[in-house]
Amino acid sequence: MSDAARHIRLRDIHLRYGTTPILDGVSLDIASGEFIVVVGASGSGKTSLLRLAAGFLKADRGTVAIDDAPITAPGAERAVVFQDDALFPWLTVRDNVAFPLKLRGDRARKAKADAQLQAVGLEGFGDRRLWELSGGQRQRVGLARALITQPAFLLMDEPFAALDALTRAQMQVALLEVWSRHRQGVLFITHDIDEALLLATRVVVLAGRPAKVAQTIDTGFARRVLEGEKVRTVRHDPAFQSLREQILDSLFEPAANTP
Amino acid sequence: MNSRHLTRIVSAATIAAVLLLWWTVTASERIDPLFLPSPAAVLAKFVEAARDGYADATLWQHLAASLGRVFAALAAAIVLGVPVGMAIGASPVGRGIFDPLVEALRPIPPLAYLPLVVIWLGIGETSKVVVIGIAMFAPIVLATASGVAHVAANRLDAARAFGASGWQLLIHIRLPAALPDILTGVRIALGAGWTTLVAAELVAATRGLGFMIQSAAQFLVTDVVIMGIVVIAAVAFLFEAGVRALERWLVPWRGKF
Ligand SMILES: Nc1ncnc2c1ncn2[C@@H]1O[C@H](COP(=O)(O)OP(=O)(O)OP(=O)(O)O)[C@@H](O)[C@H]1O
Ligand SMILES: [Mg+2]
């Protein structure tokens, strides 16, 4: 990756399904090294926003661009981690992780996959089959598969939503460590406000039907976690608590833009 | 006791009951053996046919001839049917071309096109394999098409996100994801194949289980007819077990995802 920061820019996005407007003028920037977390109520359009950035979906109005070039299709520099793991059960763990490299005909893919498995804490799991893994281990496989092409951006749709609280906490720290090493630009979607505050460099709150950006909050709790501070202490910080309240308020305040 | 064991025990008991009933009915000697020979007579015929043969060939030669036809037909049906099924399931153009053809072919009973195939291809081995193959073709095409068309959207999205081309999606995602359905299609096709075999061997065959049954029936050798039927049933059962084993080996994720 070059030194110059890369950007994904969503500008004034309008999106509707049929006649139902979903997104109403949403703008969002993701630069290298930024960890953008989008929170919003269920059905508010978070997944749609991520699918726009991934190139699976086209906006009705507005622009989606990467480094000033319009995004029209999925691309290798933007890796996606899905809400459910979307792994391939006919492949072993190693071959799942190596899959993006297989598409390119990379012959060193098995060794690279093993290295990537090690990086996400799954050393020695390469020959296992998916049904022999726990939910948390499967999400690690999904993360390893997304990381193996060394993408500039990670687009993650509630990757930890199905995990128990303990596993989720471990995965959050694991993800922060990966991110602090490689400084990808991250777009991370969640329902969980604590998760948002803990991981983000910036929290973006979607609210209203159709959804607008109700609030943007720059935070620095992730750095403190990375520097070794206990997640529990960070969470009990009054600053954390008050931001939490602030986000809750903006999530549930009656939307000003309902028709 | 788990439910699988229970099913097996009940199945074994059912077969034993049918054999017992058969034996009782024939042992009472109130039925002419011409209509229903005893189990012992059928077993004796089995030994005799295996050792000395019937209708100029041993039982094993008849069996080998039939197996050869069914396997050749299955191979042809898979080699042609899977790509056609993939075309129907994955491409609107492919669906437009092949769907009407397959749908038109599917409901025709094999006996109806048998004469035509004989006119075109003669009475040799090819026409028999072709008739059996046509009967096996549609189930494999339809199962493949359905499997290829109904791949979980998120798996396709994941592969697309990593830059998979249309072909790569087809080969690396749609095909393996459809494997469980394809094997189901193979099972149905084998059933259709065995059904068609006897009809195909009506025409100028000199060997084959179907031929053996036909020629025995002409001379009212009922014990050979029943013996042939039992052999076909046993072979079909073994095939089914074989495909299931293949399933466990090829699609171990079935039912888990
Ligand atoms: N393909 C589609 N066709 C029609 N409506 C859709 C489609 N996909 C999503 N929607 C609708 O658009 C709205 C936003 O969906 P989206 O999946 O983006 O929400 P979300 O914020 O990700 O929700 P969740 O938190 O439950 O995952 C929902 O009301 C949903 O019903
Ligand atoms: Mg969603």
Side-chain angles (χ1 to χ4, degrees), chain A residues 46-48 83 157-158 189 191:
Chain A
K46 304 183 297 296
T47 296
S48 304
Q83 203 157 353
D157 190 357
E158 305 200 38
I189 283 165
H191 275 112

Side-chain angles (χ1 to χ4, degrees), chain A residues 51 56 74-76 78-80 82 84 86-90 99-100 102-104 129-131 138 145-146, chain B residues 151 154-165 168 172-174 176-177 250-254 256-257:
Chain A
R51 292 178 67 82
F56 290 133
R78 286 162 281 138
V80 184
F82 291 83
D84 49 1
L87 298 168
F88 308 130
W90 50 89
F99 182 80
K102 181 179 185 175
L103 294 177
R104 306 172 177 189
R129 305 303 301 252
L130 293 178
W131 56 88
R138 279 214 288 277
R145 181 178 67 172
Chain B
V151 180
N154 62 351
R155 296 211 171 109
L156 290 174
D157 279 349
R160 275 196 204 105
F162 296 120
S165 66
Q168 286 175 322
H172 294 307
I173 308 296
R174 288 188 187 273
L250 278 178
V251 291
W253 67 89
R254 179 172 216 163
K256 292 173 180 129
F257 273 83

Side-chain angles (χ1 to χ4, degrees), chain B residues 113-125:
Chain B
Y113 49 72
L114 178 63
L116 187 63
V117 174
V118 169
I119 292 172
W120 283 348
L121 299 173
I123 52 173
E125 205 57 27

Side-chain angles (χ1 to χ4, degrees), chain B residues 49-128:
Chain B
R51 209 180 41 213
D52 310 326
Y54 182 83
D56 298 328
T58 66
L59 180 60
W60 310 121
Q61 288 170 323
H62 288 303
L63 180 61
S66 292
L67 283 180
R69 287 170 192 141
V70 171
F71 270 121
L74 177 65
I78 290 176
V79 166
L80 296 174
V82 169
V84 169
M86 286 167 75
I88 292 178
S91 139
V93 176
R95 169 171 292 263
I97 295 172
F98 293 116
D99 206 32
L101 298 180
V102 174
E103 285 301 328
L105 189 64
R106 191 165 67 103
I108 305 174
L111 275 178
Y113 49 72
L114 178 63
L116 187 63
V117 174
V118 169
I119 292 172
W120 283 348
L121 299 173
I123 52 173
E125 205 57 27
T126 319
S127 61
K128 294 179 188 60

